[in-house]
Amino acid sequence: MKIIEPNLHAQATASNILLTPYGLDEGKLLSVLGTIFTHKVDYADLYFQHTKSESWSLEEGIVKTGSFSIDQGVGVRAVSGDKTAFSYSDDISERALLEAAAATRTIARQGAGRVKVASAIRPGSARTLYLQQDPVMSLDATAKVKLLEKLERIARAKDPRVVQVMAGLSGEHDVVLVVRSDGVIAADIRPLVRLSLTVIAEQDGRREIGTAGGGGRYDFSYFSDELLEKYASEAVNSALTNLEARPAPAGPMTVVLGPGWPGVLLHEAIGHGLEGDFNRKGSSAFSGRIGERVAAKGVTVVDDGTLADRRGSLNVDDEGHPTQCTTLIEDGILRGYIQDTLNARLMKMQPTGNGRRESYAHLPMPRMTNTYMLAGDRDPEEIIASVKRGLYAVNFGGGQVDITNGKFVFSASEAWMVEDGKLAYPVKGATLVGNGPDVLNRVSMIGRDMKLDSGVGVCGKDGQSVPVGVGQPTLRIEDLTVGGTG
């Protein structure tokens, strides 16, 4: 196998941090995996992780809190059929590994032949989607405080109605090493930064909130003065718009979704329903429907973990598989699911590089990376101009979805009423209520302005949180139920 230098660098760095200081080497790792296979096991792996993270927060003009932590450990997993045994330890040592391996041998399954552990380790993916720098060390503490203070000054200077500014800065340097029973060893060095801004504007006794922010797999130099200006403008403009907002009407109407972050609705209402575990168990609205039409013509949805520097991207997933761009829906036809190793094997499919876990103390499961709808051919202005009366949802707050039937409820944090093809006035309290598969079939116009979110997404599933990306172009959806306050 040809190995390119970035892959060698990642594996060397991971070994120097996670193996060498604890007297571990290739032979000892293979020996640990071998002890698991004294019982009938289909597959086993070791997941080592070292995470350095910090966060800072500003409120009332003062950086009030700062935190720094280092966490490391190893998770040991054995899989037999659809059963999984898992143990973990924050002690990285041969003794801890052997004890964890012994704990996983409890899942021996009758009637299954043993699978021999590989006798040698071979390198995994050779790919570098992001620089392998440590963002935590890219600025000193004084510079980080000044960054937050500068963002606050910029936001307050935008408008005298801004009465409060809150900002947060966080960074993480994650080093992972995966050793599998099929002989693959894969490493990844994952930087991650995020800057968030919340402003409160007041007028005539009324207060409204606006938010903005972004990040990705960079170091803190990513947050340039131009980007600080952009975040401040977005947050302040959103708050000022909401000061003028009227109560949102209720009822079925044409809804236009803006590009970018509104793709979170696609992520929640549709993306989770396309994850392999839900479909293997038959609990998803999309179960058993590959090859069927599940959306309007023109709707193509992909999950792409290979986008450079994006928050949801990974060189390899948490099972050591290279990430990829997986087409989930193509021109309205369901083409595939998001898969990890376990569910792909049981469904007789291939892993898609979507096995993800929050940390070494958690089991991997099929999770999204960057999930988005591809662009269409309509001008966004044309889409809005086509609406006689409806809602234009610019941004979203929270939402809920039921995976089994796709039903969702989402609240719009910024929205406008559209009358005679023009934005008439902002509205407050608008919620979108619908069914994910049904909404896909109600898409009637797709803009050519596909946009990814700014890099703030966090996805929760079964108590685990992982960074993700979302995106979409401007969309026109027919007869979507709007729950309002007016």
Side-chain angles (χ1 to χ4, degrees):
M1 174 180 288
K2 181 180 179 182
I3 312 170
I4 64 173
E5 196 280 329
N7 192 50
L8 285 174
H9 172 71
Q11 291 197 17
T13 300
S15 294
N16 288 338
I17 293 174
L18 292 163
L19 300 182
T20 304
Y22 309 102
L24 297 174
D25 56 27
E26 176 180 321
K28 291 178 179 178
L29 298 183
L30 287 172
S31 175
V32 169
L33 287 170
T35 65
I36 299 174
F37 282 81
T38 57
H39 284 288
K40 299 177 179 66
V41 172
D42 296 320
Y43 171 86
D45 60 19
L46 312 174
Y47 181 83
F48 297 86
Q49 183 178 33
H50 177 279
T51 303
K52 182 195 303 179
S53 59
E54 72 169 10
S55 62
W56 302 80
S57 63
L58 175 146
E59 189 174 353
E60 298 175 343
I62 303 171
V63 175
K64 291 188 173 182
T65 61
S67 65
F68 176 85
S69 66
I70 294 177
D71 188 25
Q72 66 178 25
V74 59
V76 180
R77 176 176 62 147
V79 178
S80 180
D82 63 353
K83 296 179 291 184
T84 298
F86 177 71
S87 58
Y88 67 92
S89 172
D90 57 7
D91 173 20
I92 298 178
S93 66
E94 186 176 14
R95 178 190 58 80
L97 281 170
L98 289 170
E99 289 178 356
T104 65
R105 292 200 297 266
T106 58
I107 63 166
R109 159 168 78 93
Q110 294 299 321
R114 297 180 185 179
V115 179
K116 182 178 182 293
V117 67
S119 58
I121 288 177
R122 64 184 189 276
S125 170
R127 174 200 286 163
T128 301
L129 299 173
Y130 30 82
L131 296 178
Q132 298 176 345
Q133 71 273 31
D134 181 352
V136 174
M137 304 302 293
S138 63
L139 286 181
D140 61 28
T142 300
K144 292 164 187 169
V145 169
K146 288 182 176 179
L147 178 65
L148 290 173
E149 292 174 340
K150 179 186 288 187
L151 180 58
E152 189 212 25
R153 288 196 303 271
I154 295 171
R156 285 188 180 277
K158 293 291 180 182
D159 195 279
R161 289 170 287 181
V162 174
V163 296
Q164 191 170 347
V165 177
M166 293 159 283
L169 180 68
S170 62
E172 181 178 289
H173 185 239
D174 198 24
V175 180
V176 303
L177 182 71
V178 184
V179 184
R180 305 194 325 223
S181 58
D182 61 359
V184 169
I185 183 170
D188 201 6
I189 301 173
R190 303 167 179 171
L192 191 65
V193 295
R194 177 176 172 175
L195 182 61
S196 59
L197 174 66
T198 300
V199 303
I200 298 177
E202 183 175 6
Q203 177 178 282
D204 300 328
R206 177 176 175 178
R207 289 191 166 203
E208 295 292 347
I209 292 177
T211 61
R217 297 200 179 278
Y218 307 96
D219 63 20
F220 288 127
S221 65
Y222 173 70
F223 299 117
S224 63
D225 288 349
E226 291 77 15
L227 207 49
L228 298 186
E229 285 281 351
K230 179 176 181 289
Y231 293 160
S233 294
E234 289 176 354
V236 172
N237 290 341
S238 178
L240 298 181
T241 296
N242 286 329
L243 282 176
E244 308 297 329
R246 307 178 194 177
M253 64 182 74
T254 299
V255 173
V256 177
L257 301 181
W261 180 247
V264 69
L265 189 152
L266 182 79
H267 169 103
E268 294 289 356
I270 297 148
H272 278 298
L274 295 175
E275 291 170 337
D277 47 357
F278 296 123
N279 287 280
R280 176 176 66 84
K281 297 170 185 175
S283 59
S284 168
F286 295 99
S287 297
R289 299 190 63 189
I290 288 181
E292 295 182 15
R293 176 165 296 282
V294 296
K297 288 187 66 63
V299 172
T300 296
V301 178
V302 302
D303 183 87
D304 190 353
T306 70
L307 301 176
D309 302 321
R310 296 300 304 181
R311 181 175 173 85
S313 295
L314 302 168
N315 288 314
V316 293
D317 70 2
D318 293 326
E319 298 180 306
H321 294 288
T323 54
Q324 63 186 50
C325 182
T326 303
T327 299
L328 304 172
I329 299 172
E330 183 180 27
D331 198 22
I333 306 299
L334 181 61
R335 296 300 186 193
Y337 301 127
I338 294 165
Q339 296 285 16
D340 65 347
T341 298
L342 170 64
N343 290 283
R345 179 172 55 82
L346 294 174
M347 296 178 74
K348 294 181 170 49
M349 296 180 176
Q350 292 297 313
T352 57
N354 290 91
R356 304 190 65 187
R357 59 178 106 197
E358 180 176 319
S359 77
Y360 67 88
H362 299 83
L363 276 169
M365 63 182 85
R367 305 290 299 272
M368 286 172 274
T369 55
N370 304 296
T371 309
Y372 56 95
M373 184 185 297
L374 300 191
D377 59 0
R378 297 300 188 98
D379 188 292
E381 295 182 0
E382 174 194 1
I383 295 176
I384 293 174
S386 71
V387 178
K388 178 69 175 175
R389 183 178 184 275
L391 184 81
Y392 176 47
V394 180
N395 216 340
F396 282 111
Q400 294 180 328
V401 64
D402 184 337
I403 301 300
T404 61
N405 54 32
K407 291 182 178 179
F408 63 82
V409 178
F410 265 85
S411 59
S413 58
E414 183 181 346
W416 292 73
M417 282 303 298
V418 181
E419 295 179 352
D420 296 323
K422 297 180 180 179
L423 300 185
Y425 54 87
V427 294
K428 182 176 175 61
T431 59
L432 303 185
V433 182
N435 173 289
D438 178 60
V439 166
L440 284 179
N441 284 287
R442 295 178 182 269
V443 174
S444 60
M445 299 176 77
I446 304 174
R448 55 172 177 251
D449 58 339
M450 201 291 287
K451 178 182 174 184
L452 295 169
D453 76 287
S454 61
V456 297
V458 178
C459 174
K461 178 180 175 181
D462 290 349
Q464 294 191 44
S465 295
V466 295
V468 296
V470 301
Q472 67 173 43
T474 298
L475 300 177
R476 173 173 166 151
I477 301 173
E478 305 301 329
D479 296 321
L480 184 59
T481 300
V482 176
T485 55

